[in-house]
Amino acid sequence: MGKILGIIGGGQLGMMIAEAAKDMSEEIEKVIVLDPAENCPASQVGAEQIVADFKDREAIIELSKRSDIITYEIESGDSDVLKSVEKNAEINPSPETLRVIQDKFLQKTFLKENDIAVPDFVRINSAEDVRRGIDEYGLPVLLKARRDAYDGRGNYKIDVSDCIQKAYDYFKGQKLMLERFVPFKQEVSVIASRNTKGQIKTYPLVENIHEENILRETIAPARVSRRIIEDAEEIAEKTMTVLKGAGVFGIEMFVTRDDQVVINEIAPRVHNSGHHSLQSSETSQFEQHLRAILGLDLGSTRLVHNTVMYNILGEKSFQGEYRPPELNDEDLYLKMYGKKISKPLRKLGHFNLVGSSGETVDQLLERLEKIKPRAVVQST
Ligand code: AMP
């Protein structure tokens, strides 16, 4: 008999985990997601849904009673509540790993204690602390919410000291940290996996292009030197070894101007920069995540095809029902997430443009440029 898998969150990541689970029907009998949005993306591909807030204690308890194993597609789950339901279901990554990762200050402290390079940072309790931090790091700096921030929404870049109070007040009492600004050359990431038995595998380094703090494009493989690839891989493996979490993790890094690799942040879940693996690799990150949490041997992470991933985002000036783009180009795999309403910069879908044999990343990027103007949603 297969296991019943519970997922906290049923957005596009939960949707693609649920789809991967369908291909592993011997191991996974059924998927149940907990998500506040009725008819969430995962429920549209056959997952059962408990409609409730991600942090709803009763709903998490219900999910744990109905599941054999629980995982998440978002990092904002309540780690204390999850810890309290470990007797009902196995939880991977563990609530303790989640607790450390979901707080950027604890995460960076943990990495630093394990000799893994991160930008300089300090805990902030007052506007005066921000002033002191700026004295040390210089300007600009980034004031960051420690928790529940994603797609850059929890960051405030301070360019001039006049803005310190404004930046501090912007966060209205949230727990904060301050970080030295890293003038990076490139943003890269490693999708890393560790199974419950300790086996570790990493996907090849990819390059990420953000627009307004939102991931727009992932280039697999990254256009960096052999040395940077090796450094990033070593950092990712070391991170997975010390973290001891089971599952897939997205490890975002900066390549600094002097070619050092530092971790920006870790997501304890499948990651947008790993979507290319749906077509580029033998094992998608979604299957890998399931293999990891079920304690199965991890699959091959070899990049079989050069691939670029492009996110379809809601138009900035539009909110409402929309028509998905029509993209019938060769080697293009469009995946829409079934969200009914478009909102400014909302992630509505993505596509992978897969290189044919011998096609270089630069050639793929040229093709992508021609497709981009058509990769937009229109109002209905
Ligand atoms: P985050 O949500 O913390 O991952 O930040 C979102 C984006 O802000 C990153 O992808 C970077 O482009 C930028 N960013 C975050 N931290 C720093 C930093 N210390 N220095 C420079 N840019 C940063």
Side-chain angles (χ1 to χ4, degrees):
M1 270 285 266
K3 294 194 168 166
I4 299 179
L5 172 71
I7 310 177
I8 312 270
Q12 63 266 24
L13 301 179
M15 173 192 204
M16 290 184 271
I17 295 173
E19 285 174 327
K22 279 191 204 164
D23 293 333
M24 295 171 72
S25 54
E26 274 186 27
E27 289 86 7
I28 298 171
E29 188 190 315
K30 175 162 88 170
V31 175
I32 310 172
V33 298
L34 187 161
D35 195 285
E38 272 199 63
N39 198 26
C40 66
S43 77
Q44 293 177 35
V45 297
E48 284 181 21
Q49 182 179 1
I50 298 172
V51 180
D53 189 84
F54 306 123
K55 294 183 184 169
D56 183 322
R57 191 186 170 83
E58 294 311 312
I60 295 173
I61 293 171
E62 183 192 338
L63 182 69
S64 72
K65 287 188 176 156
R66 287 171 59 187
S67 308
D68 298 304
I69 178 161
I70 287 184
T71 192
Y72 12 90
E73 61 125 46
I74 46 144
E75 51 269 55
S76 60
D78 186 323
S79 59
D80 288 337
V81 178
L82 284 165
K83 208 171 227 158
S84 74
V85 300
E86 271 182 306
K87 57 188 181 303
N88 299 337
E90 191 180 333
I91 304 179
N92 281 313
S94 73
E96 180 51 25
T97 305
L98 177 67
R99 186 184 70 82
V100 173
I101 291 188
Q102 69 187 176
D103 180 327
K104 288 184 187 188
F105 177 76
L106 296 184
Q107 182 192 125
K108 289 205 159 102
T109 304
F110 176 82
L111 292 170
K112 197 172 161 191
E113 281 171 1
N114 283 286
D115 290 325
I116 297 171
V118 290
D120 291 327
F121 66 98
V122 64
R123 187 204 306 256
I124 293 294
N125 291 317
S126 65
E128 191 43 42
D129 286 349
V130 179
R131 236 164 247 124
R132 269 194 290 271
I134 291 174
D135 285 344
E136 191 179 340
Y137 303 149
L139 286 167
V141 285
L142 278 154
L143 187 59
K144 294 188 169 186
R146 286 171 53 175
R147 284 198 54 152
D148 297 336
Y150 58 96
D151 291 339
R153 268 168 251 180
N155 294 352
Y156 196 116
K157 185 165 168 244
I158 304 177
D159 291 298
V160 288
S161 343
D162 288 354
C163 289
I164 293 175
Q165 194 63 45
K166 189 172 160 208
Y168 185 76
D169 293 342
Y170 168 81
F171 288 104
K172 297 194 190 90
Q174 290 181 69
K175 283 184 165 182
L176 301 176
M177 63 183 278
L178 189 76
E179 215 170 272
R180 188 193 287 276
F181 186 81
V182 179
F184 54 78
K185 260 197 334 203
Q186 275 161 311
E187 295 195 72
V188 293
S189 60
V190 174
I191 302 298
S193 52
R194 182 177 176 279
N195 75 7
T196 51
K197 297 180 180 134
Q199 185 192 14
I200 292 173
K201 278 198 183 186
T202 57
Y203 284 82
L205 188 69
V206 297
E207 189 179 335
N208 297 317
I209 297 176
H210 292 83
E211 279 172 22
E212 305 198 33
N213 283 320
I214 295 182
L215 181 69
R216 189 76 220 223
E217 209 171 307
T218 295
I219 303 165
R223 296 165 297 172
V224 294
S225 68
R226 188 72 243 155
R227 216 250 315 135
I228 289 176
I229 291 174
E230 284 166 7
D231 286 357
E233 248 164 42
E234 200 184 311
I235 290 172
E237 287 208 11
K238 183 166 182 195
T239 303
M240 295 308 284
T241 306
V242 294
L243 208 54
K244 295 197 177 75
V248 159
F249 292 68
I251 308 179
E252 295 181 43
M253 306 170 187
F254 299 136
V255 180
T256 65
R257 285 201 191 131
D258 55 352
D259 284 342
Q260 301 302 307
V261 180
V262 298
I263 291 190
N264 169 33
E265 69 174 346
I266 305 174
R269 53 167 171 77
V270 288
H271 194 258
N272 196 169
S273 71
H275 291 0
H276 67 88
S277 63
L278 281 167
Q279 273 81 36
S280 69
S281 314
E282 266 167 44
T283 318
S284 77
Q285 63 164 344
F286 306 101
E287 177 184 339
Q288 193 78 312
H289 182 65
L290 294 173
R291 302 188 78 81
I293 62 175
L294 291 167
L296 302 174
D297 277 349
L298 297 174
S300 164
T301 52
R302 189 172 74 84
L303 191 73
V304 183
H305 309 284
N306 290 347
T307 297
V308 292
M309 188 278 319
Y310 187 73
N311 272 340
I312 312 279
L313 303 179
E315 295 295 304
K316 266 199 229 165
S317 53
F318 167 69
Q319 172 144 347
E321 293 195 16
Y322 63 96
R323 253 183 307 126
E326 281 176 30
L327 298 169
N328 304 312
D329 305 63
E330 213 177 321
D331 309 322
L332 186 152
Y333 297 81
L334 175 66
K335 174 97 195 152
M336 296 303 292
Y337 305 146
K339 297 179 186 176
K340 206 160 174 255
I341 300 292
S342 176
K343 294 181 191 167
L345 301 179
R346 188 178 200 194
K347 287 177 180 167
L348 300 172
H350 75 265
F351 66 80
N352 286 332
L353 189 61
V354 181
S356 45
S357 133
E359 192 170 21
T360 64
V361 159
D362 287 335
Q363 287 167 331
L364 264 180
L365 289 172
E366 262 177 51
R367 275 214 276 157
L368 176 64
E369 283 311 309
K370 295 196 185 113
I371 296 167
K372 278 183 189 177
R374 290 182 280 123
V376 288
V377 298
Q378 314 272 353
S379 65
T380 47

